[in-house]
Amino acid sequence: MKKIAVKASKPYEVLVGKGLISRCGELISEVTKTKYAAIITDDIVDSIYSKDVISSLEEDGFKTVRFVFKNGETSKCSDTLNRIYNFLAENNITRSDCVIALGGGVTGDITGYAAATYLRGISFIQIPTTLLAQIDSSVGGKTAINLSCGKNLVGAFKQPELVICDPLTLKTLSPEIVSDGMAEAIKYGMIRSRELFDIIASHSIDNYFDVIDDIICRCVSIKSEIVANDEFDKGERMLLNFGHTIGHAIENYFNYTGYTHGSAVAAGMHAITEQAVKHSDCSENCLKALDEVITSYKLPLVTEASLDELVPLCSNDKKCESTSINAIICSDIGTSSIRKMPFSEFKKYMEA
Ligand code: NAD
Ligand code: GLY
């Protein structure tokens, strides 16, 4: 088992190791005094993993209750959140008890937000079961729900007590969902680590599992370092948005149904890097390496929407500040910077 410390305002550890799910009772006991936990999970994850999680918790003396919602992004909404609040209240979950998010980023985000707000805040533990959740959403404390007019518009920063990543859970994911998460792993390599990029690039969607523990640990270490420096997203943390400005525009353009988040981010990383090459901010070799790795994980370089159609949608991005935008540009693999520019300049940058 590997341990990665996240030095946020409230420090905690991310544990990474195959088989950890069946030891979760013992691991959670080390970070909380309570023996009463509410598990929040979706129907798919419930059918595969709840049994092992509950039996490990019970072995360690926990009493558990479990709330199951329908899987998918549309459940990350105020209706599910209200049902979670009522479930916690009806089951007498108090401020000294804890909530466990068992599932992907949807489960982690909504459970984290419920934990941030129920009784003005109770402890929560993340057991992420998708690659995206293990390397990104479970770490760093961003929690949220969607509104009908946009994603993640209501949320809070709420750090978990512990994150337990069991890479074996990735074995039950479809290859598409693995690819989706791999887009974020490629992003970490691009913004911070050529070594990580090379490990990902020397594998593919067919054999990534051979090096999965290493990939997860490297991604989490990068995220934890960035979060320690800028927990509340005022500066360096924006680097994590590489590929996301155009990516969010793609998701928006296709009504959040045409392209998955990871596919949109992959096309977004390609788009901004292609423009960076045209402006001599990045070498052609870097773009070529990025394109090769995106393709080898069966992610798209482009979508049917043109940049002319996508760029105007970028002004809705949360990383925009009124008339300016924080563009994330990689000058090389592993080297990135935040370039704040007026939106008009960003438009020109993307037009070149
Ligand atoms: P998800 O939680 O919807 O999971 C994707 C699908 O995989 C679901 O159908 C789920 O039931 C299924 N699943 C989960 N684990 C499984 C397993 N081990 N085996 C089989 N099926 C499994 O989606 P996601 O891609 O994990 O997360 C996307 C969400 O994360 C979005 O809402 C996004 O906004 C959020 N996010 C948050 C942050 C953050 O910092 N908080 C960062 C990135 C993304
Ligand atoms: N996923 C981006 C962030 O945590 O800031």
Side-chain angles (χ1 to χ4, degrees), residues 179 182-183 186 197 200-201 203-206 266-267 269-270 287-302:
S179 290
M182 206 49 93
I186 295 168
F197 185 92
I200 300 169
H203 291 78
S204 72
I205 193 64
D206 300 321
M269 291 191 287
H270 167 80
L287 175 64
K288 190 165 167 274
L290 172 65
D291 287 356
E292 276 171 13
V293 73
I294 287 175
T295 310
S296 76
Y297 285 90
K298 298 198 169 25
L299 291 159
L301 297 177
V302 290

Side-chain angles (χ1 to χ4, degrees), residues 42 71 73 76 104-106 109 129-130 137 142 152 169 172-173:
D42 73 30
N71 74 91
E73 188 69 33
K76 208 175 101 177
V106 164
D109 277 13
T129 61
T130 62
S137 60
K142 281 190 185 174
N152 297 326
T169 61
T172 52
L173 289 173

Side-chain angles (χ1 to χ4, degrees), residues 45-57 66 102:
V45 177
D46 181 54
S47 66
I48 315 175
Y49 296 108
S50 282
K51 197 165 155 260
D52 281 356
V53 167
I54 291 169
S55 97
S56 170
L57 285 162
R66 164 164 125 260
L102 171 66

